Amino acid sequence: MIARITYALRETWASFRRNLTLTAAAVLTSAIALLLVGTTLLIQRAFENLLVQWRGDVEMIVFVRSDASPDQIAFVDSSIRQADTIVDVEKLQYLDKTQTYEEAKRIFIGDPVTLSLLTPENIPSQFKVVPLTEDPALVRSLSEQFRSLPGVEDVALAEDEFQVISTLSQFIRVVTLVMSIVLLIVAVGLIWNTIRTAMFARRREIEVMKLVGATNWFIRIPFMLEGLLQGLLGALAACGGLWVLNSAWTNGVAGFKPGTGISSLIVPSGFLSGVMLSMLILGAIVGAVGSAIAASRFLDV
Amino acid sequence: MIRLENVTKQYGTETVAVRDVSFDVTKGDFVFLVGPSGSGKSTILRLINRQERPERGEVWVAGRNINELADSRVPHLRRTMGNVFQDYKLLLNKTVFENVAFALEVIGKPRHVISRQVPLVLELVGLAGKEDRFPNQLSGGEQQRVSIARAFVNRPLILLADEPTGNLDPATGEGIMALLDEINRTGTTVVMATHDHRVVNAMRRRVIQLDRGVVVRDQERGVYE
């Protein structure tokens, strides 16, 4: 058993070095494909921070002053509910100060200065309004009414703030997803080709192995390990690249003026490690699939 | 040990390589398959080690019908036989020792078995002292000895040789035949395809003559004609 394992590892390594250029191409392509996958996931997550306020078709947010009395809050609530031809009352949501503070932690993740000025006491509470109508003018005129109610600090409209970004993030998501799928397929193909070439280069050896009674698995495993290694190396490179990208972005964002919204476009480090782990798994799968196809297809040399 | 029953093998629809061939080889026999190029000698060897499967008929090796053998069992069948070729099929990037050791390594033999068996078999084929040479540093006869060592190192029941003297001058060929004879005397069944008149006539062993895929003669202690 030990003899077999050492054999497999030794052959994997030897073959790896023999085909250095092809191997480099395969590794590089998987790295780029996986980097794109990782970047997509990060961008998506970053936009989610930005759009967290506007989840679930919310198009208007009525901010209530932190010092508003319970009577004033009740009055705002009933005023919104009266507009039931325009507002979807079922979906009306009230976030008290604590809940709003939790939400703010995500919005201002890259803007600790602003966040430090906020406390669960001085933060406004908010009503999230989902309109029934498709007509933005109606929503806008309603927002003007609410703005003048006692206790209301401000009314924000999705249209003014993040409509564009939301559409943009959708678009980026689709484009990067398609690109990464295409690149992943290319990576599988390149690994397949590398392994096929490696097997062709060693066809005499494989012929002798078959004649002296080596099992197919014994012949295959070093090649499959080679492909797996290529995928994993690509993933490792991609993880490094993603880490560098993310650090540069996070540092860059920290220099922005607080409160510009851009500052919420960063991700927590826990999420980053999660993405890296899934990239490693994906890389291993890409390598294993590519080499397994090659190894089962081209064994009869 | 080996039995062919009415075996027919064709390539495509036109070319019939072997037609209705039957013969029996008992354990410890030495058999020459003779005939001109294309008469089906190599195909018969390839049927015996199951590189090919016949369209009709049965091939029995060591009491088993090998056409009914599952693909996963074929490696085990092949471990009971050694193969020697006209072109040696040595791995040029490996030394003499490594070439022979390779045959044991890839069937999972532990290192201590390899380091015991390989020197023994190299001694047997007369290559002691040349363990560290590479194939292209050896003469043709020596290369064929390496290939015989590789075929024999696992002590197979059967040795299949396809024109083993085809690339060698007569004197060197004689040496190889002496070696195959010696291996045969250890109880190994030898089946050798050849069109080398001299070696057949010198050995006086069983001769199965083929012509266009058909057995035309099967004679004990025969000559080439």
Side-chain angles (χ1 to χ4, degrees):
Chain A
M1 199 61 215
I2 292 166
R4 285 171 199 231
I5 294 168
T6 34
Y7 170 85
L9 294 180
R10 185 155 42 81
E11 289 304 307
T12 304
W13 178 238
S15 182
F16 204 80
R17 286 194 324 192
R18 211 175 351 231
N19 290 306
L20 212 54
T21 31
L22 268 178
T23 302
V27 169
L28 214 62
T29 315
S30 8
I32 292 169
L34 290 165
L35 186 58
L36 204 60
V37 173
T39 315
T40 311
L41 291 175
L42 289 197
I43 289 175
Q44 234 164 286
R45 174 59 206 259
F47 274 120
E48 264 174 41
N49 284 339
L50 201 59
L51 300 168
V52 67
Q53 282 177 289
W54 306 96
R55 235 184 243 151
D57 295 328
V58 171
E59 298 219 342
M60 188 197 319
I61 299 177
V62 179
F63 289 104
V64 180
R65 280 213 304 274
S66 58
D67 58 359
S69 68
D71 285 348
Q72 285 176 327
I73 296 173
F75 184 65
V76 173
D77 184 53
S78 66
S79 306
I80 297 174
R81 283 176 197 279
Q82 270 166 20
D84 58 2
T85 51
I86 305 173
V87 173
D88 190 340
V89 177
E90 297 277 293
K91 290 187 181 161
L92 180 66
Q93 213 192 339
Y94 176 69
L95 263 60
D96 64 19
K97 290 196 247 186
T98 332
Q99 289 166 322
T100 305
Y101 185 69
E102 284 307 311
E103 193 186 76
K105 281 190 196 162
R106 275 191 72 181
I107 299 170
F108 297 109
I109 186 167
D111 187 358
V113 181
T114 307
L115 188 62
S116 68
L117 296 175
L118 297 169
T119 65
E121 281 72 44
N122 69 9
I123 204 163
S125 58
Q126 53 178 320
F127 287 95
K128 290 191 187 269
V129 181
V130 180
L132 284 171
T133 170
E134 297 271 301
D135 183 358
L138 271 178
V139 179
R140 187 169 293 276
S141 68
L142 194 65
S143 74
E144 293 307 322
Q145 276 180 44
F146 292 159
R147 207 184 291 274
S148 58
L149 292 176
V152 169
E153 182 169 301
D154 192 14
V155 179
L157 289 175
E159 203 192 348
D160 297 341
E161 306 216 356
F162 296 120
Q163 197 79 301
V164 178
I165 286 173
S166 162
T167 318
L168 193 67
S169 97
Q170 233 13 303
F171 176 73
I172 291 176
R173 187 182 311 173
V174 171
V175 169
T176 48
L177 190 71
V178 169
M179 273 166 62
S180 32
I181 288 174
V182 170
L183 272 176
L184 279 178
I185 294 172
V186 172
V188 169
L190 266 176
I191 289 176
W192 171 82
N193 188 47
T194 316
I195 301 306
R196 194 184 62 146
T197 311
M199 293 185 86
F200 187 74
R202 296 177 58 200
R203 63 192 180 285
R204 274 179 78 92
E205 231 162 296
I206 294 176
E207 186 188 359
V208 171
M209 287 165 90
K210 294 190 83 153
L211 279 173
V212 300
T215 59
N216 281 345
W217 278 111
F218 188 89
I219 301 172
R220 252 180 228 154
I221 279 175
F223 292 107
M224 294 184 60
L225 278 180
E226 192 184 340
L228 189 77
L229 196 62
Q230 288 174 2
L232 272 177
L233 276 181
L236 267 182
C239 283
L242 194 69
W243 186 81
V244 169
L245 265 182
N246 187 59
S247 313
W249 174 248
T250 308
N251 289 336
V253 161
F256 268 89
K257 243 196 300 185
T260 46
I262 299 287
S263 55
S264 53
L265 287 174
I266 70 171
V267 296
S269 60
F271 185 78
L272 182 67
S273 346
V275 168
M276 285 181 173
L277 187 66
S278 35
M279 280 159 70
L280 285 173
I281 294 170
L282 200 58
I285 293 174
V286 164
V289 167
S291 54
I293 298 172
S296 56
R297 189 88 172 56
F298 295 99
L299 203 52
D300 292 317
V301 278
Chain B
M1 182 56 61
I2 302 169
R3 188 165 86 237
L4 274 69
E5 285 178 10
N6 308 103
V7 170
T8 297
K9 170 72 197 173
Q10 52 191 78
Y11 296 106
T13 49
E14 301 278 292
T15 338
V16 181
V18 168
R19 191 193 300 272
D20 200 25
V21 165
S22 300
F23 63 80
D24 230 307
V25 178
T26 45
K27 187 171 182 336
D29 260 5
F30 194 119
V31 181
F32 286 113
L33 296 173
V34 303
S37 299
S39 58
K41 309 185 295 288
S42 300
T43 301
I44 287 177
L45 295 181
R46 293 169 67 85
L47 285 163
I48 295 170
N49 66 20
R50 207 168 176 277
Q51 283 180 282
E52 306 282 358
R53 298 170 88 160
E55 268 67 46
R56 280 189 296 282
E58 291 174 358
V59 181
W60 292 74
V61 173
R64 271 181 304 185
N65 181 344
I66 63 166
N67 301 324
E68 288 172 1
L69 211 58
D71 283 347
S72 60
R73 299 296 303 168
V74 171
H76 298 276
L77 169 78
R78 295 206 178 132
R79 289 175 198 186
T80 65
M81 43 183 80
N83 289 278
V84 177
F85 301 94
Q86 182 171 9
D87 60 355
Y88 325 130
K89 293 198 194 296
L90 297 178
L91 304 174
L92 301 179
N93 57 342
K94 291 188 192 292
T95 64
V96 168
F97 186 94
E98 288 165 346
N99 262 286
V100 178
F102 187 68
L104 293 177
E105 205 177 8
V106 302
I107 60 173
K109 293 282 185 210
R111 196 172 296 250
H112 67 92
V113 172
I114 295 173
S115 55
R116 197 181 57 231
Q117 297 272 78
V118 178
L120 276 179
V121 79
L122 285 176
E123 173 84 47
L124 174 80
V125 301
L127 286 176
K130 299 197 169 165
E131 293 86 353
D132 296 330
R133 304 275 184 92
F134 285 91
N136 50 23
Q137 297 172 314
L138 299 175
S139 71
E142 287 171 324
Q143 292 189 46
Q144 192 58 291
R145 284 170 189 273
V146 179
S147 120
I148 292 172
R150 182 179 65 191
F152 191 62
V153 68
N154 195 31
R155 305 290 149 154
L157 299 168
I158 300 166
L159 192 79
L160 303 175
D162 196 353
E163 306 273 9
T165 59
N167 283 357
L168 305 175
D169 62 70
T172 315
E174 259 171 50
I176 294 297
M177 290 316 296
L179 181 55
L180 290 180
D181 190 41
E182 200 180 330
I183 284 172
N184 177 241
R185 282 174 207 282
T186 66
T188 305
T189 310
V190 178
V191 180
M192 170 171 160
T194 186
H195 52 220
D196 188 337
H197 301 61
R198 272 184 319 271
V199 302
V200 177
N201 295 345
M203 295 280 288
R204 286 298 192 136
R205 296 298 187 106
R206 180 174 170 194
V207 172
I208 296 175
Q209 187 179 347
L210 292 152
D211 186 19
R212 275 162 287 177
V214 179
V215 175
V216 293
R217 179 168 61 112
D218 187 346
Q219 185 183 17
E220 292 296 331
R221 309 186 67 76
V223 291
Y224 194 97
E225 284 184 352

